[in-house]
Amino acid sequence: MAAKFVVTARSADLAKCLSQIGALDGKSRLAVEKAMQRVTKRIKAGAIRRVAVRSGELKNSISSGFSATKLQGVVRAKKPYAHLVEFGAKAVTINPKEKKAMKIPFGEEYIVRKKVSIPARKPRPFIIPAYEAEAPELVDEIKKELLKNAKITK
């Protein structure tokens, strides 16, 4: 199973608002759920726009989900190297563990090396900037939905 890189939206204002949702009626909760689903989808779209594309696999692996029970939106990249693209990685030298050399597949042939140096990779964030762009809108959209619902029930 591929590793998942998951970002979950949390903020102080949002936590305060969500803690009070339990006291609200069903229509208000449904309105907040819909607002959070819309923002989660926009975060996903922003991540897809921002991701570095080489083969397109990472871009195609970006997905989003929403848990109504937890009132939690999740945007994830399912490729096991997604966190390396998001946060970068430092340079590494790999030495063989059991033998004197490593056999590395290269096309239909193999390359034999005593050690392999992997260069440092700079961070190329795509999910965090997408979240930061939408975070201010999240609280505003929830407030707007609650106010709209409050006017209907009055």
Side-chain angles (χ1 to χ4, degrees), residues 34-50 62-65 74-75 126-127 129-142 144-145:
K34 287 182 180 182
M36 288 187 70
Q37 283 178 324
R38 283 194 304 270
V39 172
T40 301
K41 287 179 183 179
R42 289 199 311 250
I43 292 170
K44 174 190 169 191
I48 289 173
R49 278 193 312 272
R50 289 172 172 84
I62 297 173
S63 64
S64 65
V74 178
V75 177
F126 56 99
I127 292 180
Y131 167 72
E132 289 173 348
E134 293 294 333
E137 301 297 320
L138 179 58
V139 175
D140 291 341
E141 197 155 327
I142 289 172
K144 183 175 76 173
E145 287 294 330

PDB file of all heavy atoms in Angstrom, residues 34-50 62-65 74-75 126-127 129-142 144-145:
ATOM      1  N   LYS A  34     -21.253  21.267   4.422  1.00  0.00           N
ATOM      2  CA  LYS A  34     -21.175  21.629   2.997  1.00  0.00           C
ATOM      3  C   LYS A  34     -20.097  22.684   2.755  1.00  0.00           C
ATOM      4  O   LYS A  34     -19.358  22.614   1.773  1.00  0.00           O
ATOM      5  CB  LYS A  34     -22.530  22.109   2.489  1.00  0.00           C
ATOM      6  CG  LYS A  34     -23.522  20.985   2.338  1.00  0.00           C
ATOM      7  CD  LYS A  34     -24.835  21.487   1.793  1.00  0.00           C
ATOM      8  CE  LYS A  34     -25.818  20.337   1.640  1.00  0.00           C
ATOM      9  NZ  LYS A  34     -27.091  20.754   1.072  1.00  0.00           N
ATOM     10  N   ALA A  35     -20.013  23.679   3.650  1.00  0.00           N
ATOM     11  CA  ALA A  35     -18.989  24.716   3.505  1.00  0.00           C
ATOM     12  C   ALA A  35     -17.593  24.100   3.598  1.00  0.00           C
ATOM     13  O   ALA A  35     -16.702  24.422   2.808  1.00  0.00           O
ATOM     14  CB  ALA A  35     -19.169  25.789   4.567  1.00  0.00           C
ATOM     15  N   MET A  36     -17.409  23.201   4.564  1.00  0.00           N
ATOM     16  CA  MET A  36     -16.099  22.578   4.714  1.00  0.00           C
ATOM     17  C   MET A  36     -15.767  21.680   3.528  1.00  0.00           C
ATOM     18  O   MET A  36     -14.614  21.616   3.089  1.00  0.00           O
ATOM     19  CB  MET A  36     -16.032  21.792   6.021  1.00  0.00           C
ATOM     20  CG  MET A  36     -15.981  22.712   7.231  1.00  0.00           C
ATOM     21  SD  MET A  36     -15.707  21.848   8.764  1.00  0.00           S
ATOM     22  CE  MET A  36     -14.025  21.322   8.563  1.00  0.00           C
ATOM     23  N   GLN A  37     -16.758  21.005   2.979  1.00  0.00           N
ATOM     24  CA  GLN A  37     -16.520  20.178   1.793  1.00  0.00           C
ATOM     25  C   GLN A  37     -16.088  21.036   0.610  1.00  0.00           C
ATOM     26  O   GLN A  37     -15.165  20.680  -0.120  1.00  0.00           O
ATOM     27  CB  GLN A  37     -17.779  19.396   1.423  1.00  0.00           C
ATOM     28  CG  GLN A  37     -18.025  18.190   2.303  1.00  0.00           C
ATOM     29  CD  GLN A  37     -19.307  17.470   1.940  1.00  0.00           C
ATOM     30  OE1 GLN A  37     -20.302  18.094   1.572  1.00  0.00           O
ATOM     31  NE2 GLN A  37     -19.284  16.154   2.068  1.00  0.00           N
ATOM     32  N   ARG A  38     -16.754  22.173   0.425  1.00  0.00           N
ATOM     33  CA  ARG A  38     -16.385  23.070  -0.687  1.00  0.00           C
ATOM     34  C   ARG A  38     -14.952  23.569  -0.538  1.00  0.00           C
ATOM     35  O   ARG A  38     -14.181  23.579  -1.496  1.00  0.00           O
ATOM     36  CB  ARG A  38     -17.350  24.253  -0.753  1.00  0.00           C
ATOM     37  CG  ARG A  38     -18.680  23.931  -1.354  1.00  0.00           C
ATOM     38  CD  ARG A  38     -19.454  25.203  -1.707  1.00  0.00           C
ATOM     39  NE  ARG A  38     -19.638  26.091  -0.563  1.00  0.00           N
ATOM     40  CZ  ARG A  38     -20.671  26.046   0.264  1.00  0.00           C
ATOM     41  NH1 ARG A  38     -21.630  25.162   0.086  1.00  0.00           N
ATOM     42  NH2 ARG A  38     -20.771  26.901   1.259  1.00  0.00           N
ATOM     43  N   VAL A  39     -14.582  23.988   0.679  1.00  0.00           N
ATOM     44  CA  VAL A  39     -13.226  24.501   0.902  1.00  0.00           C
ATOM     45  C   VAL A  39     -12.194  23.384   0.722  1.00  0.00           C
ATOM     46  O   VAL A  39     -11.140  23.609   0.139  1.00  0.00           O
ATOM     47  CB  VAL A  39     -13.116  25.165   2.297  1.00  0.00           C
ATOM     48  CG1 VAL A  39     -11.690  25.514   2.620  1.00  0.00           C
ATOM     49  CG2 VAL A  39     -13.981  26.416   2.347  1.00  0.00           C
ATOM     50  N   THR A  40     -12.501  22.183   1.187  1.00  0.00           N
ATOM     51  CA  THR A  40     -11.582  21.057   1.016  1.00  0.00           C
ATOM     52  C   THR A  40     -11.350  20.781  -0.463  1.00  0.00           C
ATOM     53  O   THR A  40     -10.216  20.541  -0.887  1.00  0.00           O
ATOM     54  CB  THR A  40     -12.134  19.804   1.725  1.00  0.00           C
ATOM     55  OG1 THR A  40     -12.307  20.092   3.110  1.00  0.00           O
ATOM     56  CG2 THR A  40     -11.189  18.634   1.583  1.00  0.00           C
ATOM     57  N   LYS A  41     -12.404  20.846  -1.261  1.00  0.00           N
ATOM     58  CA  LYS A  41     -12.254  20.638  -2.709  1.00  0.00           C
ATOM     59  C   LYS A  41     -11.423  21.744  -3.343  1.00  0.00           C
ATOM     60  O   LYS A  41     -10.634  21.500  -4.255  1.00  0.00           O
ATOM     61  CB  LYS A  41     -13.628  20.543  -3.375  1.00  0.00           C
ATOM     62  CG  LYS A  41     -14.329  19.235  -3.076  1.00  0.00           C
ATOM     63  CD  LYS A  41     -15.692  19.176  -3.718  1.00  0.00           C
ATOM     64  CE  LYS A  41     -16.403  17.895  -3.344  1.00  0.00           C
ATOM     65  NZ  LYS A  41     -17.748  17.804  -3.921  1.00  0.00           N
ATOM     66  N   ARG A  42     -11.583  22.981  -2.855  1.00  0.00           N
ATOM     67  CA  ARG A  42     -10.774  24.080  -3.394  1.00  0.00           C
ATOM     68  C   ARG A  42      -9.303  23.923  -3.006  1.00  0.00           C
ATOM     69  O   ARG A  42      -8.412  24.276  -3.777  1.00  0.00           O
ATOM     70  CB  ARG A  42     -11.325  25.427  -2.920  1.00  0.00           C
ATOM     71  CG  ARG A  42     -12.647  25.767  -3.589  1.00  0.00           C
ATOM     72  CD  ARG A  42     -12.986  27.237  -3.505  1.00  0.00           C
ATOM     73  NE  ARG A  42     -12.859  27.818  -2.192  1.00  0.00           N
ATOM     74  CZ  ARG A  42     -13.867  28.214  -1.431  1.00  0.00           C
ATOM     75  NH1 ARG A  42     -15.102  28.080  -1.845  1.00  0.00           N
ATOM     76  NH2 ARG A  42     -13.644  28.760  -0.249  1.00  0.00           N
ATOM     77  N   ILE A  43      -9.035  23.407  -1.797  1.00  0.00           N
ATOM     78  CA  ILE A  43      -7.653  23.154  -1.390  1.00  0.00           C
ATOM     79  C   ILE A  43      -7.042  22.096  -2.305  1.00  0.00           C
ATOM     80  O   ILE A  43      -5.908  22.223  -2.746  1.00  0.00           O
ATOM     81  CB  ILE A  43      -7.573  22.730   0.089  1.00  0.00           C
ATOM     82  CG1 ILE A  43      -7.945  23.915   0.996  1.00  0.00           C
ATOM     83  CG2 ILE A  43      -6.177  22.221   0.442  1.00  0.00           C
ATOM     84  CD1 ILE A  43      -8.119  23.542   2.457  1.00  0.00           C
ATOM     85  N   LYS A  44      -7.797  21.060  -2.604  1.00  0.00           N
ATOM     86  CA  LYS A  44      -7.323  20.013  -3.522  1.00  0.00           C
ATOM     87  C   LYS A  44      -7.007  20.610  -4.891  1.00  0.00           C
ATOM     88  O   LYS A  44      -5.953  20.348  -5.473  1.00  0.00           O
ATOM     89  CB  LYS A  44      -8.370  18.914  -3.659  1.00  0.00           C
ATOM     90  CG  LYS A  44      -8.015  17.872  -4.694  1.00  0.00           C
ATOM     91  CD  LYS A  44      -9.172  16.948  -4.984  1.00  0.00           C
ATOM     92  CE  LYS A  44      -8.877  16.105  -6.202  1.00  0.00           C
ATOM     93  NZ  LYS A  44     -10.036  15.389  -6.686  1.00  0.00           N
ATOM     94  N   ALA A  45      -7.916  21.438  -5.410  1.00  0.00           N
ATOM     95  CA  ALA A  45      -7.696  22.063  -6.713  1.00  0.00           C
ATOM     96  C   ALA A  45      -6.450  22.948  -6.698  1.00  0.00           C
ATOM     97  O   ALA A  45      -5.664  22.954  -7.649  1.00  0.00           O
ATOM     98  CB  ALA A  45      -8.920  22.869  -7.131  1.00  0.00           C
ATOM     99  N   GLY A  46      -6.250  23.671  -5.600  1.00  0.00           N
ATOM    100  CA  GLY A  46      -5.054  24.510  -5.474  1.00  0.00           C
ATOM    101  C   GLY A  46      -3.786  23.687  -5.412  1.00  0.00           C
ATOM    102  O   GLY A  46      -2.756  24.065  -5.980  1.00  0.00           O
ATOM    103  N   ALA A  47      -3.828  22.549  -4.732  1.00  0.00           N
ATOM    104  CA  ALA A  47      -2.662  21.666  -4.664  1.00  0.00           C
ATOM    105  C   ALA A  47      -2.346  21.103  -6.040  1.00  0.00           C
ATOM    106  O   ALA A  47      -1.170  21.022  -6.428  1.00  0.00           O
ATOM    107  CB  ALA A  47      -2.909  20.544  -3.665  1.00  0.00           C
ATOM    108  N   ILE A  48      -3.364  20.742  -6.792  1.00  0.00           N
ATOM    109  CA  ILE A  48      -3.151  20.212  -8.153  1.00  0.00           C
ATOM    110  C   ILE A  48      -2.532  21.282  -9.040  1.00  0.00           C
ATOM    111  O   ILE A  48      -1.638  20.992  -9.845  1.00  0.00           O
ATOM    112  CB  ILE A  48      -4.479  19.680  -8.731  1.00  0.00           C
ATOM    113  CG1 ILE A  48      -4.863  18.386  -8.011  1.00  0.00           C
ATOM    114  CG2 ILE A  48      -4.389  19.462 -10.231  1.00  0.00           C
ATOM    115  CD1 ILE A  48      -6.242  17.851  -8.360  1.00  0.00           C
ATOM    116  N   ARG A  49      -2.965  22.534  -8.890  1.00  0.00           N
ATOM    117  CA  ARG A  49      -2.388  23.630  -9.693  1.00  0.00           C
ATOM    118  C   ARG A  49      -0.927  23.890  -9.337  1.00  0.00           C
ATOM    119  O   ARG A  49      -0.135  24.249 -10.186  1.00  0.00           O
ATOM    120  CB  ARG A  49      -3.173  24.924  -9.470  1.00  0.00           C
ATOM    121  CG  ARG A  49      -4.417  25.052 -10.266  1.00  0.00           C
ATOM    122  CD  ARG A  49      -4.958  26.483 -10.238  1.00  0.00           C
ATOM    123  NE  ARG A  49      -5.017  27.075  -8.917  1.00  0.00           N
ATOM    124  CZ  ARG A  49      -6.040  26.968  -8.075  1.00  0.00           C
ATOM    125  NH1 ARG A  49      -7.095  26.272  -8.418  1.00  0.00           N
ATOM    126  NH2 ARG A  49      -6.018  27.557  -6.903  1.00  0.00           N
ATOM    127  N   ARG A  50      -0.567  23.694  -8.050  1.00  0.00           N
ATOM    128  CA  ARG A  50       0.771  24.065  -7.577  1.00  0.00           C
ATOM    129  C   ARG A  50       1.810  22.947  -7.655  1.00  0.00           C
ATOM    130  O   ARG A  50       2.992  23.203  -7.547  1.00  0.00           O
ATOM    131  CB  ARG A  50       0.679  24.521  -6.118  1.00  0.00           C
ATOM    132  CG  ARG A  50       0.001  25.840  -5.933  1.00  0.00           C
ATOM    133  CD  ARG A  50      -0.226  26.130  -4.449  1.00  0.00           C
ATOM    134  NE  ARG A  50      -0.716  27.464  -4.204  1.00  0.00           N
ATOM    135  CZ  ARG A  50      -1.984  27.824  -4.267  1.00  0.00           C
ATOM    136  NH1 ARG A  50      -2.898  26.928  -4.572  1.00  0.00           N
ATOM    137  NH2 ARG A  50      -2.344  29.069  -4.027  1.00  0.00           N
ATOM    138  N   ILE A  62      -3.294  13.164  -6.084  1.00  0.00           N
ATOM    139  CA  ILE A  62      -3.853  14.092  -5.105  1.00  0.00           C
ATOM    140  C   ILE A  62      -5.364  13.882  -5.037  1.00  0.00           C
ATOM    141  O   ILE A  62      -6.052  13.893  -6.054  1.00  0.00           O
ATOM    142  CB  ILE A  62      -3.527  15.552  -5.461  1.00  0.00           C
ATOM    143  CG1 ILE A  62      -2.019  15.778  -5.421  1.00  0.00           C
ATOM    144  CG2 ILE A  62      -4.229  16.519  -4.510  1.00  0.00           C
ATOM    145  CD1 ILE A  62      -1.573  17.133  -5.917  1.00  0.00           C
ATOM    146  N   SER A  63      -5.844  13.668  -3.821  1.00  0.00           N
ATOM    147  CA  SER A  63      -7.281  13.464  -3.627  1.00  0.00           C
ATOM    148  C   SER A  63      -7.714  14.172  -2.349  1.00  0.00           C
ATOM    149  O   SER A  63      -6.885  14.612  -1.556  1.00  0.00           O
ATOM    150  CB  SER A  63      -7.610  11.978  -3.548  1.00  0.00           C
ATOM    151  OG  SER A  63      -7.001  11.400  -2.413  1.00  0.00           O
ATOM    152  N   SER A  64      -9.008  14.263  -2.175  1.00  0.00           N
ATOM    153  CA  SER A  64      -9.532  14.882  -0.963  1.00  0.00           C
ATOM    154  C   SER A  64     -10.669  14.031  -0.423  1.00  0.00           C
ATOM    155  O   SER A  64     -11.256  13.223  -1.140  1.00  0.00           O
ATOM    156  CB  SER A  64     -10.015  16.305  -1.243  1.00  0.00           C
ATOM    157  OG  SER A  64     -11.106  16.280  -2.133  1.00  0.00           O
ATOM    158  N   GLY A  65     -10.941  14.228   0.845  1.00  0.00           N
ATOM    159  CA  GLY A  65     -12.036  13.515   1.487  1.00  0.00           C
ATOM    160  C   GLY A  65     -12.596  14.358   2.609  1.00  0.00           C
ATOM    161  O   GLY A  65     -11.998  15.355   3.022  1.00  0.00           O
ATOM    162  N   VAL A  74      -9.752  16.408   4.493  1.00  0.00           N
ATOM    163  CA  VAL A  74      -8.394  15.907   4.315  1.00  0.00           C
ATOM    164  C   VAL A  74      -8.013  15.996   2.845  1.00  0.00           C
ATOM    165  O   VAL A  74      -8.782  15.598   1.971  1.00  0.00           O
ATOM    166  CB  VAL A  74      -8.287  14.436   4.789  1.00  0.00           C
ATOM    167  CG1 VAL A  74      -6.894  13.894   4.551  1.00  0.00           C
ATOM    168  CG2 VAL A  74      -8.657  14.307   6.246  1.00  0.00           C
ATOM    169  N   VAL A  75      -6.830  16.537   2.585  1.00  0.00           N
ATOM    170  CA  VAL A  75      -6.262  16.545   1.241  1.00  0.00           C
ATOM    171  C   VAL A  75      -5.000  15.714   1.314  1.00  0.00           C
ATOM    172  O   VAL A  75      -4.168  15.923   2.193  1.00  0.00           O
ATOM    173  CB  VAL A  75      -5.946  17.981   0.761  1.00  0.00           C
ATOM    174  CG1 VAL A  75      -5.288  17.965  -0.603  1.00  0.00           C
ATOM    175  CG2 VAL A  75      -7.209  18.814   0.733  1.00  0.00           C
ATOM    176  N   PHE A 126       3.255  22.161  -2.280  1.00  0.00           N
ATOM    177  CA  PHE A 126       2.040  22.316  -3.078  1.00  0.00           C
ATOM    178  C   PHE A 126       0.779  22.211  -2.215  1.00  0.00           C
ATOM    179  O   PHE A 126      -0.187  22.915  -2.464  1.00  0.00           O
ATOM    180  CB  PHE A 126       1.992  21.303  -4.227  1.00  0.00           C
ATOM    181  CG  PHE A 126       2.111  19.862  -3.798  1.00  0.00           C
ATOM    182  CD1 PHE A 126       1.000  19.073  -3.677  1.00  0.00           C
ATOM    183  CD2 PHE A 126       3.352  19.298  -3.540  1.00  0.00           C
ATOM    184  CE1 PHE A 126       1.104  17.742  -3.293  1.00  0.00           C
ATOM    185  CE2 PHE A 126       3.474  17.972  -3.169  1.00  0.00           C
ATOM    186  CZ  PHE A 126       2.341  17.189  -3.033  1.00  0.00           C
ATOM    187  N   ILE A 127       0.772  21.375  -1.172  1.00  0.00           N
ATOM    188  CA  ILE A 127      -0.425  21.237  -0.347  1.00  0.00           C
ATOM    189  C   ILE A 127      -0.504  22.358   0.697  1.00  0.00           C
ATOM    190  O   ILE A 127      -1.559  22.963   0.888  1.00  0.00           O
ATOM    191  CB  ILE A 127      -0.491  19.854   0.323  1.00  0.00           C
ATOM    192  CG1 ILE A 127      -0.725  18.786  -0.751  1.00  0.00           C
ATOM    193  CG2 ILE A 127      -1.617  19.802   1.352  1.00  0.00           C
ATOM    194  CD1 ILE A 127      -0.816  17.379  -0.226  1.00  0.00           C
ATOM    195  N   PRO A 129       0.808  25.498   0.693  1.00  0.00           N
ATOM    196  CA  PRO A 129       0.380  26.792   0.139  1.00  0.00           C
ATOM    197  C   PRO A 129      -1.090  26.799  -0.295  1.00  0.00           C
ATOM    198  O   PRO A 129      -1.764  27.820  -0.186  1.00  0.00           O
ATOM    199  CB  PRO A 129       1.292  26.995  -1.070  1.00  0.00           C
ATOM    200  CG  PRO A 129       2.458  26.132  -0.837  1.00  0.00           C
ATOM    201  CD  PRO A 129       1.970  24.972  -0.037  1.00  0.00           C
ATOM    202  N   ALA A 130      -1.578  25.658  -0.771  1.00  0.00           N
ATOM    203  CA  ALA A 130      -2.991  25.580  -1.153  1.00  0.00           C
ATOM    204  C   ALA A 130      -3.880  25.759   0.067  1.00  0.00           C
ATOM    205  O   ALA A 130      -4.892  26.468   0.017  1.00  0.00           O
ATOM    206  CB  ALA A 130      -3.286  24.239  -1.831  1.00  0.00           C
ATOM    207  N   TYR A 131      -3.495  25.147   1.179  1.00  0.00           N
ATOM    208  CA  TYR A 131      -4.258  25.309   2.426  1.00  0.00           C
ATOM    209  C   TYR A 131      -4.177  26.755   2.918  1.00  0.00           C
ATOM    210  O   TYR A 131      -5.200  27.341   3.284  1.00  0.00           O
ATOM    211  CB  TYR A 131      -3.742  24.361   3.514  1.00  0.00           C
ATOM    212  CG  TYR A 131      -4.287  24.710   4.874  1.00  0.00           C
ATOM    213  CD1 TYR A 131      -5.612  24.479   5.204  1.00  0.00           C
ATOM    214  CD2 TYR A 131      -3.476  25.324   5.821  1.00  0.00           C
ATOM    215  CE1 TYR A 131      -6.124  24.835   6.437  1.00  0.00           C
ATOM    216  CE2 TYR A 131      -3.977  25.679   7.064  1.00  0.00           C
ATOM    217  CZ  TYR A 131      -5.297  25.429   7.364  1.00  0.00           C
ATOM    218  OH  TYR A 131      -5.791  25.792   8.586  1.00  0.00           O
ATOM    219  N   GLU A 132      -2.980  27.321   2.931  1.00  0.00           N
ATOM    220  CA  GLU A 132      -2.811  28.692   3.427  1.00  0.00           C
ATOM    221  C   GLU A 132      -3.600  29.699   2.599  1.00  0.00           C
ATOM    222  O   GLU A 132      -4.041  30.720   3.115  1.00  0.00           O
ATOM    223  CB  GLU A 132      -1.330  29.052   3.470  1.00  0.00           C
ATOM    224  CG  GLU A 132      -0.584  28.310   4.573  1.00  0.00           C
ATOM    225  CD  GLU A 132       0.921  28.508   4.528  1.00  0.00           C
ATOM    226  OE1 GLU A 132       1.449  29.035   3.520  1.00  0.00           O
ATOM    227  OE2 GLU A 132       1.571  28.118   5.510  1.00  0.00           O
ATOM    228  N   ALA A 133      -3.771  29.420   1.306  1.00  0.00           N
ATOM    229  CA  ALA A 133      -4.544  30.320   0.455  1.00  0.00           C
ATOM    230  C   ALA A 133      -6.036  30.256   0.781  1.00  0.00           C
ATOM    231  O   ALA A 133      -6.746  31.251   0.659  1.00  0.00           O
ATOM    232  CB  ALA A 133      -4.321  29.979  -1.014  1.00  0.00           C
ATOM    233  N   GLU A 134      -6.515  29.104   1.209  1.00  0.00           N
ATOM    234  CA  GLU A 134      -7.945  28.916   1.469  1.00  0.00           C
ATOM    235  C   GLU A 134      -8.335  29.045   2.940  1.00  0.00           C
ATOM    236  O   GLU A 134      -9.518  29.174   3.253  1.00  0.00           O
ATOM    237  CB  GLU A 134      -8.399  27.548   0.952  1.00  0.00           C
ATOM    238  CG  GLU A 134      -8.354  27.408  -0.554  1.00  0.00           C
ATOM    239  CD  GLU A 134      -9.348  28.314  -1.273  1.00  0.00           C
ATOM    240  OE1 GLU A 134     -10.389  28.669  -0.683  1.00  0.00           O
ATOM    241  OE2 GLU A 134      -9.066  28.676  -2.422  1.00  0.00           O
ATOM    242  N   ALA A 135      -7.371  28.965   3.865  1.00  0.00           N
ATOM    243  CA  ALA A 135      -7.681  28.965   5.304  1.00  0.00           C
ATOM    244  C   ALA A 135      -8.508  30.178   5.745  1.00  0.00           C
ATOM    245  O   ALA A 135      -9.489  30.010   6.488  1.00  0.00           O
ATOM    246  CB  ALA A 135      -6.401  28.861   6.123  1.00  0.00           C
ATOM    247  N   PRO A 136      -8.177  31.397   5.325  1.00  0.00           N
ATOM    248  CA  PRO A 136      -8.999  32.537   5.753  1.00  0.00           C
ATOM    249  C   PRO A 136     -10.439  32.432   5.248  1.00  0.00           C
ATOM    250  O   PRO A 136     -11.380  32.855   5.924  1.00  0.00           O
ATOM    251  CB  PRO A 136      -8.306  33.753   5.139  1.00  0.00           C
ATOM    252  CG  PRO A 136      -6.931  33.305   4.815  1.00  0.00           C
ATOM    253  CD  PRO A 136      -7.014  31.842   4.557  1.00  0.00           C
ATOM    254  N   GLU A 137     -10.611  31.845   4.082  1.00  0.00           N
ATOM    255  CA  GLU A 137     -11.950  31.708   3.510  1.00  0.00           C
ATOM    256  C   GLU A 137     -12.779  30.669   4.249  1.00  0.00           C
ATOM    257  O   GLU A 137     -14.005  30.760   4.271  1.00  0.00           O
ATOM    258  CB  GLU A 137     -11.858  31.315   2.024  1.00  0.00           C
ATOM    259  CG  GLU A 137     -11.097  32.298   1.166  1.00  0.00           C
ATOM    260  CD  GLU A 137     -11.764  33.657   1.120  1.00  0.00           C
ATOM    261  OE1 GLU A 137     -13.011  33.717   1.052  1.00  0.00           O
ATOM    262  OE2 GLU A 137     -11.051  34.668   1.165  1.00  0.00           O
ATOM    263  N   LEU A 138     -12.128  29.691   4.869  1.00  0.00           N
ATOM    264  CA  LEU A 138     -12.842  28.615   5.540  1.00  0.00           C
ATOM    265  C   LEU A 138     -13.718  29.154   6.669  1.00  0.00           C
ATOM    266  O   LEU A 138     -14.926  28.884   6.716  1.00  0.00           O
ATOM    267  CB  LEU A 138     -11.859  27.577   6.080  1.00  0.00           C
ATOM    268  CG  LEU A 138     -12.456  26.399   6.840  1.00  0.00           C
ATOM    269  CD1 LEU A 138     -13.441  25.645   5.970  1.00  0.00           C
ATOM    270  CD2 LEU A 138     -11.342  25.478   7.308  1.00  0.00           C
ATOM    271  N   VAL A 139     -13.148  29.921   7.560  1.00  0.00           N
ATOM    272  CA  VAL A 139     -13.907  30.461   8.685  1.00  0.00           C
ATOM    273  C   VAL A 139     -14.984  31.415   8.185  1.00  0.00           C
ATOM    274  O   VAL A 139     -16.128  31.384   8.660  1.00  0.00           O
ATOM    275  CB  VAL A 139     -12.965  31.153   9.700  1.00  0.00           C
ATOM    276  CG1 VAL A 139     -13.748  31.823  10.807  1.00  0.00           C
ATOM    277  CG2 VAL A 139     -11.990  30.138  10.275  1.00  0.00           C
ATOM    278  N   ASP A 140     -14.637  32.240   7.182  1.00  0.00           N
ATOM    279  CA  ASP A 140     -15.624  33.177   6.642  1.00  0.00           C
ATOM    280  C   ASP A 140     -16.806  32.438   6.008  1.00  0.00           C
ATOM    281  O   ASP A 140     -17.958  32.839   6.178  1.00  0.00           O
ATOM    282  CB  ASP A 140     -14.979  34.097   5.599  1.00  0.00           C
ATOM    283  CG  ASP A 140     -13.992  35.062   6.213  1.00  0.00           C
ATOM    284  OD1 ASP A 140     -14.053  35.275   7.443  1.00  0.00           O
ATOM    285  OD2 ASP A 140     -13.149  35.598   5.469  1.00  0.00           O
ATOM    286  N   GLU A 141     -16.520  31.364   5.299  1.00  0.00           N
ATOM    287  CA  GLU A 141     -17.592  30.620   4.644  1.00  0.00           C
ATOM    288  C   GLU A 141     -18.493  29.916   5.670  1.00  0.00           C
ATOM    289  O   GLU A 141     -19.703  29.872   5.499  1.00  0.00           O
ATOM    290  CB  GLU A 141     -16.994  29.593   3.664  1.00  0.00           C
ATOM    291  CG  GLU A 141     -18.006  29.104   2.690  1.00  0.00           C
ATOM    292  CD  GLU A 141     -17.394  28.607   1.401  1.00  0.00           C
ATOM    293  OE1 GLU A 141     -16.361  29.135   0.958  1.00  0.00           O
ATOM    294  OE2 GLU A 141     -17.975  27.668   0.856  1.00  0.00           O
ATOM    295  N   ILE A 142     -17.898  29.405   6.742  1.00  0.00           N
ATOM    296  CA  ILE A 142     -18.696  28.770   7.795  1.00  0.00           C
ATOM    297  C   ILE A 142     -19.590  29.816   8.473  1.00  0.00           C
ATOM    298  O   ILE A 142     -20.776  29.580   8.703  1.00  0.00           O
ATOM    299  CB  ILE A 142     -17.791  28.061   8.818  1.00  0.00           C
ATOM    300  CG1 ILE A 142     -17.175  26.812   8.178  1.00  0.00           C
ATOM    301  CG2 ILE A 142     -18.574  27.668  10.063  1.00  0.00           C
ATOM    302  CD1 ILE A 142     -16.128  26.132   9.018  1.00  0.00           C
ATOM    303  N   LYS A 144     -20.685  32.582   7.159  1.00  0.00           N
ATOM    304  CA  LYS A 144     -21.705  32.970   6.193  1.00  0.00           C
ATOM    305  C   LYS A 144     -22.837  31.937   6.154  1.00  0.00           C
ATOM    306  O   LYS A 144     -24.016  32.295   6.157  1.00  0.00           O
ATOM    307  CB  LYS A 144     -21.072  33.121   4.809  1.00  0.00           C
ATOM    308  CG  LYS A 144     -22.030  33.588   3.728  1.00  0.00           C
ATOM    309  CD  LYS A 144     -21.318  33.830   2.423  1.00  0.00           C
ATOM    310  CE  LYS A 144     -21.034  32.483   1.786  1.00  0.00           C
ATOM    311  NZ  LYS A 144     -20.485  32.580   0.446  1.00  0.00           N
ATOM    312  N   GLU A 145     -22.479  30.652   6.152  1.00  0.00           N
ATOM    313  CA  GLU A 145     -23.496  29.600   6.138  1.00  0.00           C
ATOM    314  C   GLU A 145     -24.335  29.615   7.406  1.00  0.00           C
ATOM    315  O   GLU A 145     -25.548  29.435   7.355  1.00  0.00           O
ATOM    316  CB  GLU A 145     -22.845  28.220   5.964  1.00  0.00           C
ATOM    317  CG  GLU A 145     -22.317  27.958   4.572  1.00  0.00           C
ATOM    318  CD  GLU A 145     -23.412  27.879   3.523  1.00  0.00           C
ATOM    319  OE1 GLU A 145     -24.540  27.463   3.844  1.00  0.00           O
ATOM    320  OE2 GLU A 145     -23.141  28.241   2.367  1.00  0.00           O
TER     321      GLU A 145
END
